[in-house]
Amino acid sequence: MMTYDAYKSFGIDAAVVDYGEKKLNELKDTFGRFDALCEHNQLKVIAAMQKNKVSAECFAGTTGYGYNDLGRETLESVYADIFRTESALVRPQITCGTHALALALMSNLRPGDEIFSPVGRPYDTLEEVIGIRPSKGSLAEYGITYGQADLLSDESFDYDAIRRGINERTRLITIQRSRGYATRKTLSVKEIGELISFVKKIKPDVLVMVDNCYGEFTEMTEPSECGADMVVGSLIKNPGGGLAPLGGYIAGRSECIEQAAYRLNAPGLGKEVGASLEVLRSFYQGLFLAPSVVNASLKGAVFAAKLYGDLGFYVSPKAKQERHDIIQSIAFHSPEGLKAFCEGIQAAAPVDAHVTPIPWDMPGYDDPVIMAAGAFISGASIELSADGPMREPYAAYFQGGLTWQHAKLGILLSLQKLVNADLVKLSDL
Ligand SMILES: *Cc1c(COP(=O)(O)O)cnc(C)c1O
């Protein structure tokens, strides 16, 4: 068959292809649900674009101060409508997700305030933003303190510890939707909503920020629809649809967004400045594609969960579990396993397939990290990519795929690399 030959040219054995097809057959219902979700979110995005009268003029962009930037203002209204918020800040001047989160925090907090995380440690790079790990310019240096309550051993919220942790100085509650590099589960919008109701009952005027990275469009609703004052994310992840070359967003209450705009630019210079240069078309078009790119990513994630889970690897989430982000983790319990997996993902890439990923020390991260990414946009993890810190359980965090077919190729090739390294036996397939 033609497909066998095509896969064979990538070095993939017929047995691996057959194993993939067998597993795929068992995923039909799940894929059907993803398609329905995609349809819902695609309509949501188109409706927001129509309501705000997106037109060709919106793609023109501005230079210099960026006054009267129709495209930028319209795009921010589109985001606000999609996230059902009063306002949004969507800018190329926001470097990445970490910057967007730092901006949301630094602009809405003042010396003496406390941040509280009711869901355990935040994402690695936020530890330096907050000052959990000392860093220049951290919130800790400005006299902003931090508290946290860990999840209970069954991964439910520790309501007692949360009640004890919130005090008169608590100004902002940070909730990370996705798991990041932790082994905890990803939170559903419903769970986040329950948590927000609980903390707002204890302290009605507390601000809630949700780190929405990797979560956008994986459900019918977003955390901003269940009480979050701000949702924050990166445009080189889900909402950029693979086309946005940089950027970040904060969507939320007008007051919070105004603070963020003043901090991003300068006191006195708020949302009305900030040139969009040439990026607007990619922001719009990427947003338009985002539901379908997320669909491809979800299919890839569940396919990997099924293939590796059925071979006895610990996978999270499991193929059958509901998903609230695009991340899949697979634990290899050996450096060789993690490396082989990443090599397979790299070898399937349209860009840089000829390079071999090796672990290195990355700014913002504690342990050496191995990363596989052959992306059109440097570092874009909405494109098929895998990474993992070199520490037990040697778990690969795998995400993205602009198309399902590419994700499938990457996963089959990763499995082939494990077979080649004798970490998986062909007879087990
Ligand atoms: C990726 C990510 C971040 C940081 O985003 P960058 O764009 O890499 O700076 C923060 N939180 C979570 C949960 C993430 O997945």
Side-chain angles (χ1 to χ4, degrees), residues 33 46 48 73 99 103 111 118 160 187 206 234 282-284 396 407 411:
R33 279 199 302 281
I46 294 173
E73 286 166 13
H99 186 202
L103 179 62
D160 288 334
L187 302 172
V206 79
S234 163
S282 68
F283 282 14
Y284 280 104
I411 295 151

Side-chain angles (χ1 to χ4, degrees), residues 95-99 101 123 125-126 176-181 211-214 233-237 247 327 365 379 381:
T95 316
C96 58
T98 305
H99 186 202
L101 290 156
Y123 191 74
T125 58
L126 273 208
Q176 185 178 304
R177 178 173 178 181
S178 174
R179 55 193 311 160
Y181 281 157
D211 176 350
N212 210 22
C213 282
Y214 288 132
S234 163
L235 299 195
I236 62 167
K237 292 179 180 171
I327 300 186
Y365 296 86
S381 43

Side-chain angles (χ1 to χ4, degrees), residues 99-241:
H99 186 202
L101 290 156
L103 179 62
L105 291 171
M106 291 180 167
S107 59
N108 282 285
L109 294 165
R110 295 294 178 271
D113 287 345
E114 185 158 287
I115 306 170
F116 186 79
S117 169
V119 295
R121 267 167 105 88
Y123 191 74
D124 288 46
T125 58
L126 273 208
E127 294 190 346
E128 286 185 74
V129 169
I130 294 169
I132 301 170
R133 276 186 287 137
S135 181
K136 285 199 176 71
S138 70
L139 288 161
E141 286 195 345
Y142 288 86
I144 293 160
T145 55
Y146 170 77
Q148 95 184 20
D150 291 327
L151 296 178
L152 292 169
S153 50
D154 66 352
E155 302 206 312
S156 62
F157 302 126
D158 188 345
Y159 285 117
D160 288 334
I162 295 168
R163 196 181 289 105
R164 280 197 308 275
I166 295 175
N167 58 52
E168 62 290 341
R169 291 202 299 110
T170 309
R171 173 73 183 125
L172 184 144
I173 306 278
T174 179
I175 301 172
Q176 185 178 304
R177 178 173 178 181
S178 174
R179 55 193 311 160
Y181 281 157
T183 41
R184 75 152 165 92
K185 67 174 184 182
T186 289
L187 302 172
S188 68
V189 170
K190 183 165 170 282
E191 287 168 311
I192 292 171
E194 287 161 7
L195 184 54
I196 295 175
S197 307
F198 181 77
V199 299
K200 294 237 172 184
K201 229 171 266 154
I202 298 172
K203 194 161 187 185
D205 63 346
V206 79
L207 293 175
V208 175
M209 177 188 86
V210 173
D211 176 350
N212 210 22
C213 282
Y214 288 132
E216 299 92 347
F217 303 126
T218 61
E219 293 192 54
M220 302 263 188
T221 59
E222 299 290 337
S224 37
E225 293 169 71
C226 64
D229 299 287
M230 286 183 280
V231 288
V232 183
S234 163
L235 299 195
I236 62 167
K237 292 179 180 171
N238 306 15

